[in-house]
Amino acid sequence: MFNRLGRIGVCVAMALVCGSGLPAAENPPPGRPQKAELSGYLLVPHERVDPKYNAGFSMYVAAWPLLKNYPGQQFQSGLFGTWMFAQHDGPKPQKAYSDIEGGLGWWRDTRFATETPKFIMGGVALNFVEWANGPGAGKGRDWNNPKGHYAIAQLSPWLLWPPDGLNLKQGTAGELFGYGYLPLPLIPPKKTTAGKPVPTGGHCWTLFLNTGNFKGPATFFLPYFWSKPTLDRPELVGKFLDARPSEPNKAVQMETQHIPAYIAADAKGDTYARVAPVQFPAQPEGDAPLIHCITAYSKAALWDEVQAWFDGGPLASGRIDRKASAVHTFKGGGGATWRIYTPDTEREKRTPVAWSSFAKPTAIADTIYGYQWEKPPVSKSGLLVTLPEYYRLEKDNRGREQWAVVGANEVPAETGLAKVDFPQRRGPDRRPYTTPDEPESCWKKPGPAAGPFQAKLGDGSVATYYWYRFADQPALLNADLTDAEREALQKRVELLHRHWTKDRTYLPPPTVGSLAEIDPALIVTPPKGLEVGYVPIVTRQEAAD
């Protein structure tokens, strides 16, 4: 399952079940293509590191337009990413799913999507009771029943975060997007939660970015997001990311839930499929890096120095210490569970694509993962390759059905597949994102210090935003913090604003490729007098037209 909240790796095992093809009775009549879809995982094996590196991670992943034309809101896919779970000393708690996932991709409820991916944070509270994708973005859109909407605090004064997801610069085509989560000691642990004798830990998991036009900490998960469910499940106290370190050995995959396709048969009963043009990054020479430098950290990489700084010690530069890290290496290999099927096909009968006939997973270097493409049938144009569009249902050398690649000239005209198209579409749901407007709401009381301002984004939307004093932003007013605790946090964040600017080095830089850029319209400058201790908060996002 991959949805607005991100990736869920527990479904991989089910996806690995081999399909047995379409039953003959389900074959479409000649000349009448049936709507179908392609979905599955691309699996990326990598070497494990020492469990002591349990204070977050970072990685560089390629960002690119997966489909030639954005086909509308039914399309849903991530690019390469991971799941960060809590590390446990003994057995993991049962029936207690919670993690940080998300990443680059497209989701069915993305309202202002283009071919260029967006980034979401994808934090999951206990068993999906809530999830959080960014400041002001959670499970559903009901502000009367917020579920993760107040889970993430805006930290940077230079980056605007729209509720529809963090936009990348339009036209991004294979550049590397650097991101990771490391804990910062911004909020001390608490012995009580919501007035009950239930503790909350002090890990503020902070999103660090390394892009061409923004570097450094952007946002962070509030510890209360993780601990709040333990009010009803006290046996799970101390089991979540507010209190626990992170598991360094994580799955890395690309999860796709829906790419448009069609299936049709010829007069002989042979079955064919056509898939919307799927693209991957390319380079003029050699193979394009898709994943680079998956790195795990210990608390000595950043936490210890920052804690000492907050306690009155010397300035912490914010530069993450390489010496306190371990890089996962690649040896090649990997698998694919991509399948083509009609929507009503049972999972166990979904037939796999002969992925290995045109793609070979490879370790380009020990820290770089990608694919070697078989050309033809893969075609190349500029910075992208296009995967095969046409397939025929055949049996492999073990007698198992698979979708084998065929050329367009091998598909009988009577199937009608040559006439289907995959046009560019906008999603039908382009309603504006709004926030509470009641005078007594936390959005108005104490309210912003400046605004409104507007930013016209590359995805065709307009974001309206205000500048709030950091401690007065709505998320902090809903974080189970006293006024004194918020003021102490305000002082720490002011230190960060003064010294950790957006153009310094934080994450270890990549050794290959070039960095992707965030939509330039999201890079903002604080108004005069609000340079330190204030942050921009989006209150509305709507279509420009």
Side-chain angles (χ1 to χ4, degrees):
M1 177 179 172
F2 173 81
N3 57 22
R4 180 64 174 172
L5 54 93
R7 302 175 177 84
I8 305 173
V10 294
C11 296
V12 175
M14 295 184 68
L16 289 170
V17 177
C18 288
S20 58
L22 288 171
E26 296 183 14
N27 284 355
R32 293 178 59 185
Q34 286 185 313
K35 285 186 177 181
E37 57 193 76
L38 178 151
S39 72
Y41 291 80
L42 301 182
L43 312 176
V44 182
H46 52 284
E47 298 300 298
R48 297 174 67 84
V49 298
D50 192 308
K52 71 180 182 181
Y53 295 102
N54 58 4
F57 77 96
S58 68
M59 63 194 303
Y60 290 88
V61 292
W64 78 93
L66 183 63
L67 297 189
K68 183 177 181 181
N69 292 321
Y70 174 72
Q73 284 175 291
Q74 196 172 7
F75 170 48
Q76 181 159 293
S77 181
L79 297 179
F80 289 99
T82 191
W83 299 256
M84 189 181 83
F85 294 95
Q87 184 187 58
H88 298 283
D89 298 327
K92 297 178 182 178
Q94 297 297 307
K95 298 181 180 179
Y97 190 101
S98 178
D99 73 336
I100 296 174
E101 40 191 77
L104 293 168
W106 302 259
W107 299 269
R108 288 193 176 98
D109 65 349
T110 304
R111 295 182 183 176
F112 309 110
T114 68
E115 289 77 12
T116 301
K118 298 186 180 188
F119 180 88
I120 62 171
M121 293 174 67
V124 179
L126 175 64
N127 295 330
F128 305 98
V129 64
E130 296 185 358
W131 61 69
N133 294 319
K139 182 178 180 179
R141 286 291 158 192
D142 183 3
W143 284 102
N144 293 317
N145 185 25
K147 297 181 179 180
H149 299 66
Y150 295 120
I152 294 171
Q154 175 72 29
L155 179 57
S156 173
W158 302 289
L159 181 67
L160 200 61
W161 194 294
D164 203 44
L166 186 69
N167 299 8
L168 270 61
K169 183 179 179 180
Q170 293 295 305
T172 299
E175 294 89 345
L176 294 175
F177 182 82
Y179 78 101
Y181 292 92
L182 289 90
L184 287 179
L186 297 171
I187 301 173
K190 294 164 58 74
K191 294 182 179 180
T192 62
T193 301
K196 295 185 178 181
V198 174
T200 292
H203 287 160
C204 293
W205 290 97
T206 303
L207 173 65
F208 281 78
L209 299 175
N210 191 17
T211 71
N213 55 354
F214 178 90
K215 303 178 191 299
T219 52
F220 68 92
F221 288 99
L222 291 159
Y224 182 50
F225 173 64
W226 311 109
S227 68
K228 183 164 55 172
T230 65
L231 294 171
D232 298 322
R233 295 280 304 276
E235 74 275 13
L236 295 176
V237 165
K239 301 295 186 181
F240 300 125
L241 285 167
D242 61 300
R244 298 299 307 166
S246 62
E247 172 54 54
N249 294 302
K250 304 171 292 298
V252 176
Q253 300 168 9
M254 176 174 159
E255 181 181 354
T256 297
Q257 280 221 334
H258 178 89
I259 290 175
Y262 286 90
I263 292 175
D266 65 7
K268 296 187 297 182
D270 290 334
T271 305
Y272 295 82
R274 185 179 180 186
V275 177
V278 178
Q279 305 175 129
F280 273 74
Q283 285 191 340
E285 295 182 3
D287 303 307
L290 296 177
I291 308 168
H292 176 46
C293 277
I294 306 173
T295 307
Y297 301 98
S298 72
K299 277 193 171 179
L302 185 64
W303 174 285
D304 293 348
E305 184 182 31
V306 174
Q307 183 67 72
W309 180 31
F310 288 165
D311 290 341
L315 167 69
S317 70
R319 190 182 186 102
I320 297 163
D321 189 353
R322 274 184 195 272
K323 296 191 294 294
S325 69
V327 179
H328 299 263
T329 57
F330 301 109
K331 292 185 177 180
T337 69
W338 279 19
R339 286 159 165 71
I340 303 171
Y341 53 91
T342 54
D344 57 349
T345 304
E346 297 175 7
R347 181 179 294 275
E348 65 272 11
K349 295 181 179 179
R350 297 175 183 178
T351 306
V353 170
W355 174 263
S356 61
S357 67
F358 57 85
K360 179 183 178 181
T362 184
I364 300 172
D366 62 354
T367 64
I368 308 171
Y369 187 89
Y371 290 100
Q372 294 177 347
W373 304 108
E374 189 70 28
K375 300 189 284 280
V378 173
S379 60
K380 182 176 181 296
S381 177
L383 297 175
L384 298 168
V385 297
T386 302
L387 305 192
E389 288 187 45
Y390 291 94
Y391 300 84
R392 181 169 55 222
L393 193 62
E394 297 181 354
K395 290 188 177 180
D396 63 15
N397 55 14
R398 298 183 186 179
R400 298 177 304 186
E401 288 189 325
Q402 65 175 1
W403 290 105
V405 176
V406 294
N409 60 349
E410 299 178 73
V411 181
E414 66 207 58
T415 63
L417 290 177
K419 295 182 180 180
V420 302
D421 60 0
F422 302 94
Q424 184 184 61
R425 291 188 175 97
R426 285 182 174 178
D429 185 0
R430 292 172 63 81
R431 293 172 295 166
Y433 293 97
T434 59
T435 51
D437 199 40
E438 293 80 9
E440 296 300 310
S441 75
C442 60
W443 295 81
K444 301 294 184 179
K445 192 174 182 178
F453 301 89
Q454 288 193 327
K456 295 182 178 180
L457 310 185
D459 63 3
S461 70
V462 175
T464 300
Y465 64 100
Y466 291 79
W467 289 88
Y468 284 76
R469 185 171 178 266
F470 173 82
D472 294 338
Q473 63 178 292
L476 267 296
L477 297 174
N478 288 271
D480 189 38
L481 297 175
T482 66
D483 290 347
E485 289 167 338
R486 287 191 299 109
E487 290 309 310
L489 174 58
Q490 175 77 20
K491 292 179 180 178
R492 292 183 171 188
V493 168
E494 288 177 4
L495 288 176
L496 299 183
H497 286 182
R498 287 191 179 95
H499 301 286
W500 288 14
T501 56
K502 64 180 174 63
D503 52 0
R504 302 179 64 187
T505 298
Y506 299 88
L507 295 176
T511 59
V512 296
S514 58
L515 289 174
E517 292 192 357
I518 292 169
D519 183 342
L522 298 180
I523 309 300
V524 296
T525 301
K528 187 175 181 179
L530 306 183
E531 294 89 350
V532 173
Y534 294 82
V535 292
I537 303 293
V538 176
T539 60
R540 183 180 179 88
Q541 186 179 7
E542 59 194 316
D545 56 357

